[in-house]
Amino acid sequence: MDMDFIELDGVEKVFDVRRKAGFLRRERHEVRAVDGISFRVPRGEMVGYIGPNGAGKSTTIKMLTGILTPSGGRLRVAGIDPSRERTKLAHRIGVVFGQRTTLWWDLPLRDSYRLMHRMYRIPDRRYRENLDRCVELLDLGELLDVPVRQLSLGQRMRGDIAAALLHDPEVLYLDEPTIGLDVVSKAKVRGFLRDLNAERSTTVLLTTHDLTDIEQLCKRVMVIDHGRLVYDGDLAGLHEVGESERMLVVDLERELPPIELASEPSARVVKVEGPRQWLAFPAAASAAPLVARIAADYPLVDLSLREPDIEAVIAKMYVSDSRL
Ligand SMILES: Nc1ncnc2c1ncn2[C@@H]1O[C@H](COP(=O)(O)OP(=O)(O)OP(=O)(O)O)[C@@H](O)[C@H]1O
Ligand SMILES: [Mg+2]
């Protein structure tokens, strides 16, 4: 059972939607949000669950929590059928939806936590330990007495993550926990999740549009598109099938012709704008030889590296698919 801690077999979710099709007429049609998904997640694993907008990620997570009932297939979390035993499962899972809060809007964080303490009947000592730990590691000390509506997005997100963990869940579902956060807050959240997974073996399913989240946290990544699983493997493999590229942005001392890269055949200049040049190279490759080459031959002022975004990687997967 530990190898199959989360189990999905041909899971489907079909929404019946009505849309306007003329002055008074409404048309019914089906949206297959999740269209036959199967996977297993062993206990203690941290998995990325990514895909473009509307792919079916949040719908999957809602079925895993029991908020939504699947239209077909079989789904188990810790041996429990989520939609049938939602309350029983609630004691074993934690959920963070980055786009909305589970906290009470008008209450200070501290009061929201107290309510959860009672709702989940968390033993006092456990509650205090977990709260202290979250407050320390997520830097919540100064924020405990501030009403949630006054918190910034990054502060609220940290507050939400703590709320999801007070009852020691074995699984944590994170639906875009870093959305809209600045670099510092993102780093804080990532560091916290990494430690949580390492120290407590909490199983984590992470949805994100930020490939850096995956890079830093997940060995395994699943890609969903149009409700289907289109990739399940490591991130390097995803870059390979997606033929994804990273971009090196180079600032030279002055405007020059495109950088000559005869010794680095996999890289190419894709744009020149005054003294700034953009060079694309395979995402799986190291930037070091390229940077060394440029630094040796050109008057280099500054450089930065841009990671590929998920949408671009997935779009390329489809382009390469259609060539088959
Ligand atoms: N309650 C609902 N009723 C009808 N359609 C829905 C409902 N919830 C989701 N959908 C549709 O199901 C599809 C999948 O939505 P979902 O929210 O799971 O996508 P997502 O992968 O989380 O996207 P995003 O990256 O934008 O958050 C979309 O086409 C969406 O419009
Ligand atoms: Mg979503």
Side-chain angles (χ1 to χ4, degrees):
M1 144 155 170
D2 270 10
M3 285 311 289
D4 300 336
F5 194 57
I6 301 176
E7 286 180 83
L8 282 81
D9 287 296
V11 169
E12 297 175 4
K13 182 68 196 181
V14 181
F15 291 109
D16 228 353
V17 290
R18 281 159 206 279
R19 73 178 162 206
K20 232 175 162 164
F23 181 55
L24 283 170
R25 221 158 54 82
R26 294 202 188 269
E27 247 171 26
R28 280 183 59 185
H29 78 132
E30 286 188 343
V31 176
R32 306 190 70 83
V34 172
D35 195 8
I37 284 196
S38 307
F39 63 76
R40 300 265 181 285
V41 178
R43 189 191 278 275
E45 198 169 60
M46 194 150 171
V47 192
Y49 195 57
I50 67 177
N53 289 129
K57 305 178 296 290
S58 298
T59 305
T60 310
I61 291 189
K62 285 174 191 162
M63 289 192 281
L64 287 169
T65 61
I67 301 174
L68 288 176
T69 310
S71 319
R74 181 176 178 276
L75 192 156
R76 293 287 181 276
V77 178
I80 297 172
D81 180 345
S83 58
R84 297 184 119 197
E85 295 187 275
R86 189 172 158 192
T87 329
K88 185 173 163 198
L89 185 67
H91 288 272
R92 303 182 61 176
I93 64 173
V95 200
V96 177
F97 287 104
Q99 317 250 27
R100 66 184 175 76
T101 182
T102 49
L103 301 164
W104 283 264
W105 203 239
D106 293 311
L107 296 183
L109 278 180
R110 193 190 297 281
D111 294 358
S112 276
Y113 295 156
R114 276 193 197 125
L115 284 168
M116 289 177 175
H117 181 186
R118 268 188 276 158
M119 262 170 50
Y120 286 100
R121 299 200 189 90
I122 310 166
D124 292 346
R125 218 181 108 205
R126 213 63 202 116
Y127 169 76
R128 262 196 313 278
E129 278 172 15
N130 286 339
L131 184 59
D132 288 350
R133 182 169 184 273
C134 284
V135 166
E136 189 195 325
L137 296 178
L138 288 167
D139 231 346
L140 293 171
E142 310 256 290
L143 307 174
L144 282 175
D145 295 305
V146 182
V148 169
R149 66 183 137 74
Q150 286 175 21
L151 297 176
S152 76
L153 185 61
Q155 294 168 337
R156 199 216 77 207
M157 196 77 79
R158 273 148 43 208
D160 257 302
I161 293 174
L165 293 172
L166 294 175
H167 60 296
D168 279 325
E170 295 155 71
V171 199
L172 182 62
Y173 307 127
L174 298 157
D175 195 353
E176 307 205 37
T178 58
I179 193 167
L181 303 196
D182 63 34
V183 184
V184 179
S185 304
K186 275 187 184 180
K188 206 170 273 174
V189 167
R190 286 176 191 145
F192 178 82
L193 294 175
R194 204 180 301 122
D195 292 349
L196 177 82
N197 175 253
E199 286 165 22
R200 305 213 160 174
S201 302
T202 308
T203 309
V204 179
L205 191 72
L206 168 71
T207 282
T208 180
H209 281 275
D210 188 337
L211 267 186
T212 312
D213 286 343
I214 305 289
E215 212 156 65
Q216 298 194 354
L217 296 173
C218 308
K219 284 199 199 74
R220 174 179 172 200
V221 52
M222 292 188 275
V223 180
I224 175 177
D225 193 33
H226 292 100
R228 291 167 185 257
L229 210 57
V230 295
Y231 180 84
D232 185 348
D234 63 10
L235 189 63
L238 178 63
H239 283 314
E240 262 166 45
V241 285
E243 296 176 347
S244 71
E245 293 183 315
R246 287 197 284 172
M247 196 76 77
L248 187 66
V249 186
V250 177
D251 288 327
L252 303 174
E253 257 170 37
R254 56 187 183 280
E255 192 166 340
L256 285 169
I259 292 173
E260 295 274 347
L261 290 163
S263 64
E264 303 292 330
S266 57
R268 62 187 205 289
V269 177
V270 291
K271 188 166 139 190
V272 178
E273 221 177 76
R276 176 169 284 192
Q277 302 202 11
W278 283 259
L279 287 83
F281 65 101
S286 159
L290 188 60
V291 172
R293 191 75 250 136
I294 298 168
D297 296 345
Y298 286 85
L300 187 60
V301 179
D302 198 6
L303 50 80
S304 66
L305 207 51
R306 304 216 175 129
E307 297 300 324
D309 61 51
I310 286 166
E311 273 72 15
V313 175
I314 294 167
K316 283 229 176 137
M317 281 173 72
Y318 277 90
V319 174
S320 43
D321 243 11
S322 61
R323 280 202 308 248
L324 293 176

